Amino acid sequence: MSASTAKPRLSLWQILNMNVGFFGIQFSFGLQQSNMSPIYQYLGADEASLPLLWLAGPMTGLLVQPLIGAMSDRTVSRWGRRTPYFLVGALLCSLGLLLMPTSPTLWFAAALLWILDAANNVTMEPYRAYVSDRLDESQHAQGFLTQSAFTGLAQTLAYLAPSLMVWAGLSRDAVGSNHIPQTTLLAFQLGALLSFVTVWWSVRRVPELPLSPSELATLQARPRGARATLAEIAAAFREMPDAMRRLWWMKLFQWYAMMCYWIYIVPCLARTMFGTDDPTSAGFREAGLLNGQIGGFYNFVAFLAALGMLPFTRRFGAQRVHALCLLLAGGALWWIPSIHDRALLFVPMLGVGLAWASIMGNPYVLLAGCIPPERAGVYMGIFNMFIVIPMLIQMLTLPLIYQSWLGGDPAQVIRLAGSLLLLAAVAVLRVRLPHQAK
């Protein structure tokens, strides 16, 4: 009997409980996606330099995720293989969230983002492997799409948090001495609380499976230390399944596009909806709130879509479903800069929401079916490098073409993102999966 078929099947309630921690992790990411560009501009950054200031995410992911993945594959502790990384990462993330909106200078915020992203990555990568470890292969789609649903729900609330505080009576123009709105400060404090508490809940409610005596003996016999960890990563690269290699092109186009969207959507809305590019203006702050509202909406769509996508993924396959969602989002991003009516802006967010639900679930369904389970941690870490390397490429190349190719116009960046999502849809359909090769 294989390791996969020997695992006990979990109830829906257990799968929900094991992914509650993902809610806290993704609330943190949602706060960063919706607030870091405005925070940087409040502290004096210019539009062209914004991608460089976002380097912390891909750089820490590139360094941290494969290392933590390989280390967690080899970890033996009373709490399990993955749990120590969850808890330490979540605690450090909470501290980073508390400090971020109090940043006195641009360099302080940029440096703090490196710490915050490193902590998020320490928690994130083992969490993906934990789902693969804990669930029978027949439940992988349910587990990863449940993660996607929690991503949508968490980011809905993260994007909407400042607007909800304004609707509750807090002044939208109340700012600190660093020009960062008080609504942003309170949202990050809420994120700090959720980051640790939700992860703690999951590991208490659905602990890792205990290792069998033979698995434990195998782990203890493997070499340890930095050299052994790096050797394991190198071996995993050499022996990477062909289907996983081919997924790279889809991930390159997909994540380059998403970084373009997250970094430039607020400057785009400020110009197209409010006719301003002045970060100190009321119109720019209103664009930030509007981004929170449409971001909350597309993440809520993602929450619902992830729950409803499971039967379609089972019937048509994760590959086809993902391609369709990317096509819809690509068209939506091309439309956004042409919209000048606030209510109409929510329509293309339907396509973005469907794509975001699929992005956070279906590629992992494809991956889990083509990697050996004993290497789930290291391959999840390498697969997440397929996210951060495109982000890094975007941040280094976009400033070079922002003026010359895109005319210094954030709306053109959003259209570029739409084109890249269309290319990602083509790329995922060209992947040959193991069962298709037979």
Side-chain angles (χ1 to χ4, degrees):
M1 184 177 292
S2 70
S4 176
T5 57
K7 296 172 188 174
R9 289 182 62 84
L10 299 188
S11 68
L12 176 59
W13 183 245
Q14 287 174 304
I15 293 175
L16 291 173
N17 268 317
M18 75 183 294
N19 282 304
V20 166
F22 215 72
F23 176 92
I25 297 169
Q26 291 299 327
F27 193 93
S28 172
F29 275 115
L31 289 174
Q32 292 175 59
Q33 290 168 11
S34 59
N35 290 285
M36 285 315 302
S37 282
I39 285 174
Y40 282 148
Q41 291 189 269
Y42 294 139
L43 295 172
D46 62 88
E47 285 180 359
S49 67
L50 286 176
L52 295 175
L53 292 168
W54 280 66
L55 274 173
M59 285 299 292
T60 56
L62 184 65
L63 297 171
V64 170
Q65 289 192 7
L67 287 172
I68 294 297
M71 290 168 62
S72 70
D73 280 343
R74 296 164 176 262
T75 295
V76 178
S77 78
R78 58 180 294 188
W79 301 284
R81 290 195 292 172
R82 320 295 183 184
T83 300
Y85 300 96
F86 301 163
L87 296 177
V88 171
L91 181 59
L92 292 175
C93 181
S94 293
L95 294 175
L97 290 171
L98 284 174
L99 291 173
M100 180 61 76
T102 66
S103 299
T105 61
L106 181 60
W107 72 263
F108 187 95
L112 190 58
L113 186 61
W114 283 78
I115 299 172
L116 180 57
D117 270 315
N120 272 327
N121 281 307
V122 168
T123 309
M124 170 74 75
E125 193 288 325
Y127 218 111
R128 295 284 194 191
Y130 162 59
V131 172
S132 183
D133 292 343
R134 197 66 172 81
L135 294 177
D136 180 87
E137 186 175 349
S138 65
Q139 292 191 297
H140 280 169
Q142 190 174 11
F144 286 118
L145 287 173
T146 300
Q147 276 195 354
S148 179
F150 273 106
T151 297
L153 181 60
Q155 294 194 7
T156 296
L157 296 176
Y159 271 82
L160 282 177
S163 291
L164 292 173
M165 292 170 191
V166 170
W167 294 335
L170 190 64
S171 172
R172 70 187 64 205
D173 296 319
V175 299
S177 58
N178 57 3
H179 306 293
I180 296 175
Q182 293 297 304
T183 53
T184 302
L185 174 68
L186 292 176
F188 272 71
Q189 289 174 343
L190 176 60
L193 176 65
L194 291 174
S195 179
F196 185 80
V197 170
T198 56
V199 171
W200 177 85
W201 174 275
S202 283
V203 298
R204 287 293 301 272
R205 292 289 179 174
V206 189
E208 295 184 60
L209 287 173
L211 296 173
S212 68
S214 61
E215 289 172 329
L216 187 59
T218 300
L219 278 179
Q220 290 175 333
R222 295 170 73 177
R224 299 178 182 275
R227 179 176 297 182
T229 298
L230 293 175
E232 172 66 16
I233 294 171
F237 267 107
R238 289 194 304 270
E239 299 161 17
M240 186 185 301
D242 183 66
M244 182 176 174
R245 292 181 189 276
R246 292 175 181 271
L247 285 169
W248 155 256
W249 294 105
M250 175 269 291
K251 301 277 273 190
L252 171 64
F253 298 132
Q254 171 181 286
W255 287 102
Y256 195 114
M258 293 309 298
M259 286 308 296
C260 287
Y261 174 82
W262 290 326
I263 294 174
Y264 283 97
I265 186 61
V266 172
C268 174
L269 294 176
R271 292 194 187 189
T272 59
M273 299 292 294
F274 303 101
T276 183
D277 57 6
D278 178 8
T280 64
S281 66
F284 194 91
R285 288 193 293 274
E286 191 64 28
L289 289 174
L290 178 57
N291 177 52
Q293 293 157 21
I294 64 171
F297 179 73
Y298 89 66
N299 277 288
F300 186 69
V301 171
F303 166 64
L304 296 178
L307 296 175
M309 200 174 288
L310 183 59
F312 295 96
T313 296
R314 285 174 173 166
R315 180 173 180 181
F316 300 107
Q319 192 174 18
R320 292 178 180 177
V321 171
H322 191 50
L324 176 60
C325 292
L326 292 174
L327 285 172
L328 293 173
L333 294 190
W334 257 94
W335 185 20
I336 287 173
S338 304
I339 297 174
H340 304 287
D341 179 83
R342 183 188 292 253
L344 189 59
L345 196 60
F346 287 84
V347 178
M349 291 300 110
L350 293 169
V352 176
L354 286 171
W356 188 230
S358 187
I359 285 170
M360 296 305 292
N362 281 318
Y364 295 94
V365 177
L366 295 173
L367 177 68
C370 68
I371 58 174
E374 67 274 11
R375 279 182 161 174
V378 68
Y379 275 127
M380 286 292 176
I382 292 172
F383 199 57
N384 281 317
M385 290 174 68
F386 288 9
I387 298 174
V388 300
I389 292 175
M391 289 180 174
L392 182 60
I393 293 171
Q394 189 268 356
M395 292 169 188
L396 293 175
T397 58
L398 198 71
L400 302 178
I401 65 173
Y402 185 67
Q403 295 294 340
S404 57
W405 290 11
L406 302 172
D409 185 356
Q412 294 300 99
V413 181
I414 302 301
R415 291 193 176 100
L416 171 64
S419 301
L420 291 171
L421 288 180
L422 298 178
L423 289 175
V426 174
V428 74
L429 289 175
R430 293 178 63 85
V431 175
R432 191 167 182 82
L433 299 172
H435 69 274
Q436 296 169 337
K438 296 179 180 179

